[in-house]
């Protein structure tokens, strides 16, 4: 079996972590949380495999201590978790749910007591339904609602939080939610997409400004990046791959760090952006303390007839994970060096998510090999001079994989969704051994 690179192979102070998100593990029907657009999306026939939802998920709400003990056994330095807006503010605005705030308070205390740094994400996709009713990410007012939620939450837990990222994977919120319709709210509308993409970044900016004003430290952003190979060397396919890369990767990276959007994205989205969007770009590109990259795979992109972006994905030759995603660790090294050289310079970078879905249960040699290949790619980027400061595995637990339900298992720990029993996998033991001091 492959060995994982050991902690000693990384610079002093390099942080290792595991990541989860609220809706995917907590059990959203419990503890006074408000309804979210993921509950609504999942309740609509055909949207989620087996009509599954996050009502119980891993029941982390009631098993938090056991899960924090697992993190302690794993030996991670930092835990990346998210809070649910609707658990804090069931209607998205107005009265807070004290039970929800108490839960997050205990979670943060539990991490601190175990010597684990709490890395908070404020939004990992479960928008309160009451705000979806008002247009959700299409409504510019969401930037203010989001900043208000941020304040309520940080009033309670901000004093013990190590880092904050406002929004996980803006691409997925904007594009999968509003263009392909694969995620809540399930729209397929280019105008909604353009507006959501911009308002997501505006909300990032307003929340960041509110946090700076209150002295909150270590504020960043987390983008998911996908390497786009042109399906062939033909010019049309190369241009299609550039368009894919523009709306997937550069729209957010360039918006956040340079205050502009790429031309290849504006070709299709520019006409649909809200009037006067340019005036928001200073708020959007206010300085960050770090940037996080979530990385899993690459895609093969070919030109296709039809309206912008006029492309399609084609099958690739590399071994695939249970998501059907090609395993391409070179993409991680590429993105780390490219993001540092093109966008962030000396700013610390983190791999805030990396991992694979597998059907191999607790004997997951395939996951160990995947993690080893990507940790090697991270080491290569460090050797290239990239200021990489940490790496997080997605995910601690098998969990609700959104529209694909509970069948896609990303955890270092197996969860039996009948009994909710946790069983550490071989990858958990391998990582624990690699991280041992
Ligand atoms: O499960 C998701 C997570 O919520 C966001 N990043 C990708 C993971 C795997 O698809």
């Amino acid at each position: 079996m492959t060995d994982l690179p050991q902690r000693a192979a990384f610079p002093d102070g390099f942080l290792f972590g595991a990541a989860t998100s609220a809706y995917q593990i907590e059990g959203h029907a419990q503890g006074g949380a408000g309804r979210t657009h993921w509950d609504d999306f999942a309740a609509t026939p055909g949207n989620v495999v087996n009509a599954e939802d996050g009502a119980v998920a891993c029941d982390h709400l009631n098993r938090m201590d056991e899960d924090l003990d697992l993190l302690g056994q794993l030996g991670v330095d930092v835990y990346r978790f998210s809070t649910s807006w609707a658990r804090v503010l069931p209607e998205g605005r107005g009265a807070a749910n004290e039970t929800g705030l108490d839960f997050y308070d205990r979670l943060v205390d539990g991490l601190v007591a175990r010597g684990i740094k709490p890395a908070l994400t404020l939004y990992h996709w479960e928008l309160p339904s009451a705000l979806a009713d008002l247009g959700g990410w299409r409504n510019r007012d969401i930037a203010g609602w989001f900043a208000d939620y941020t304040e309520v939450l940080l009033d309670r837990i901000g004093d013990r939080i190590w880092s904050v990222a406002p929004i996980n994977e803006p691409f997925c919120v904007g594009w999968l939610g509003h263009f392909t319709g694969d995620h809540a709210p399930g729209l397929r509308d280019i105008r909604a997409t353009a507006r959501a993409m911009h308002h997501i970044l505006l909300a990032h900016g307003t929340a960041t400004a509110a946090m700076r004003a209150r002295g909150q430290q270590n504020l960043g952003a987390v983008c998911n990046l996908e390497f786009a190979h042109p399906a062939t060397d033909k010019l049309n396919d190369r241009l299609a791959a550039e368009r894919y890369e523009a709306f997937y990767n550069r729209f957010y990276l360039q918006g956040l760090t340079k205050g502009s959007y790429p031309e290849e994205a504006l070709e299709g989205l520019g006409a649909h952006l809200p009037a006067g969007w340019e005036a928001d770009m200073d708020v959007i590109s206010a300085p960050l303390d770090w940037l996080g990259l979530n990385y899993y795979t690459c895609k093969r992109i070919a030109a296709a007839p039809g309206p912008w972006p006029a492309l399609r994905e084609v099958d690739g030759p590399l071994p695939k994970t249970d998501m059907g995603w090609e395993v391409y660790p070179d993409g991680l090294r590429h993105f780390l060096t490219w993001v540092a050289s093109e966008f962030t310079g000396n700013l610390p970078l983190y791999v805030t998510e990396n991992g694979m879905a597998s059907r191999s249960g607790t004997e997951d040699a395939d996951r160990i090999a995947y993690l080893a290949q990507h940790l090697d790619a991270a080491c290569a980027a460090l050797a290239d001079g990239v200021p990489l400061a940490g790496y997080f595995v997605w995910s601690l637990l098998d969990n609700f994989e959104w529209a694909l339900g509970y069948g896609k298992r990303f955890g270092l720990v197996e969860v039996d969704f009948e009994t909710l029993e946790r069983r550490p996998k071989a990858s958990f033991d391998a990582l624990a051994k690699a991280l041992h001091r």
Side-chain angles (χ1 to χ4, degrees):
M1 193 178 288
T2 327
D3 270 339
L4 291 178
Q6 306 293 294
R7 194 189 268 284
F10 291 82
D12 282 349
F14 190 90
L15 298 176
F16 287 92
T20 63
S21 93
Y23 193 82
Q24 291 179 275
I25 66 167
E26 285 179 358
H28 220 269
Q30 317 175 67
R35 197 171 172 84
T36 79
H37 71 174
W38 262 98
D39 299 309
D40 304 330
F41 183 78
T44 310
N47 279 346
V48 177
V49 170
N50 297 328
E52 291 165 340
D53 61 26
V56 177
C58 305
D59 194 33
H60 173 67
L61 199 74
N62 298 306
R63 291 161 202 262
M64 178 183 73
D65 288 330
E66 184 182 352
D67 294 339
L68 296 186
D69 285 345
L70 285 166
L71 285 171
Q73 287 161 33
L74 189 56
V76 289
D77 311 297
V78 53
Y79 175 52
R80 179 171 176 259
F81 68 102
S82 75
T83 47
S84 162
W85 189 341
R87 186 174 296 293
V88 174
L89 298 171
E91 295 296 312
R93 301 177 290 175
N97 170 29
E98 285 304 319
T99 312
L101 285 168
D102 285 348
F103 170 69
Y104 292 129
D105 213 358
R106 285 190 287 113
L107 171 60
V108 173
D109 276 349
L111 289 168
V112 173
R114 290 166 175 83
I116 300 170
K117 298 177 196 307
L120 167 67
T121 302
L122 293 166
Y123 183 81
H124 195 129
W125 305 357
E126 63 283 280
L127 187 72
S129 297
L131 301 183
D133 292 343
L134 300 175
W137 290 106
R138 284 173 292 158
N139 185 335
R140 180 184 178 82
D141 291 345
I142 198 164
W145 304 332
F146 187 60
D148 293 345
Y149 150 62
T150 301
E151 299 262 10
V152 172
L153 177 71
L154 292 180
D155 276 349
R156 188 64 176 267
I157 63 171
D159 55 336
R160 286 150 290 153
I161 291 295
W162 174 72
S163 71
V164 189
I167 295 171
N168 181 63
E169 300 185 351
F171 164 82
C172 295
V173 182
W175 197 264
L176 302 185
H178 302 81
F179 193 81
T180 65
D182 292 321
H183 281 189
L187 298 181
R188 288 182 39 71
D189 181 305
I190 194 166
R191 188 170 177 84
T193 306
R195 279 153 194 267
M197 286 167 79
H198 181 69
H199 293 150
I200 289 159
L201 290 183
L202 184 60
H204 159 91
T206 55
T208 300
M211 291 191 281
R212 293 274 181 225
R214 53 183 295 131
Q216 191 71 40
Q217 303 289 307
N218 207 15
L219 310 183
V222 170
C223 295
N224 58 315
L225 304 178
E226 226 173 63
F227 192 91
H229 293 284
T232 72
D233 265 350
K234 287 187 197 142
L235 179 62
N236 275 354
D237 290 341
R238 283 190 277 126
L239 292 175
E242 278 177 27
R243 288 195 295 280
Y244 185 87
E245 211 260 330
F247 69 72
Y248 200 119
N249 301 325
R250 277 185 289 137
F251 187 88
Y252 302 101
L253 290 172
Q254 192 172 318
L256 288 166
T257 62
K258 299 189 176 177
S260 62
Y261 293 140
E263 278 310 315
E264 299 91 333
L266 289 175
E267 268 170 33
L269 300 171
H272 307 290
L273 284 169
W277 61 268
E278 295 90 341
D280 295 330
M281 298 312 285
D282 284 349
V283 175
I284 288 173
S285 59
L288 299 169
D289 299 323
W290 55 271
L291 190 92
L293 281 65
N294 294 356
Y295 177 77
Y296 292 91
T297 189
C298 61
K299 289 282 160 59
R300 317 274 158 177
I301 304 298
W308 184 95
L311 53 80
R312 67 191 165 91
E313 290 175 20
V314 301
D315 196 32
L318 299 175
K320 298 191 178 71
T321 72
D322 195 37
M323 295 291 276
W325 294 349
E326 285 182 276
V327 179
Y328 185 60
D330 286 352
L332 179 59
R333 179 179 183 178
H334 159 81
F335 278 128
L336 288 168
T337 51
W338 176 70
V339 167
S341 67
E342 292 295 314
F343 299 102
T344 53
N346 293 328
L347 208 65
L349 296 181
Y350 293 88
V351 177
T352 32
E353 281 183 28
N354 179 237
M356 73 177 285
S358 157
R359 287 174 189 267
S360 44
T362 52
E363 295 308 316
D364 57 343
D366 50 353
R367 180 171 290 104
I368 297 175
Y370 180 101
L371 296 178
Q373 286 176 298
H374 289 80
L375 283 166
D376 285 345
C379 284
L382 281 162
D384 293 342
V386 173
L388 180 64
Y391 171 95
F392 295 70
V393 177
W394 182 271
S395 179
L396 176 68
L397 303 171
D398 290 342
N399 59 48
F400 177 67
E401 179 54 25
W402 306 111
L404 300 176
Y406 292 96
K408 302 295 176 196
R409 290 172 173 266
F410 276 90
L412 297 169
V413 175
E414 184 176 71
V415 176
D416 178 327
F417 290 104
E418 298 295 320
T419 63
L420 297 165
E421 188 192 338
R422 276 81 166 132
R423 289 186 284 264
K425 302 181 186 177
S427 58
F428 180 99
D429 296 337
L431 188 60
K433 192 169 146 220
L435 298 187
H436 186 74
R437 287 178 194 278

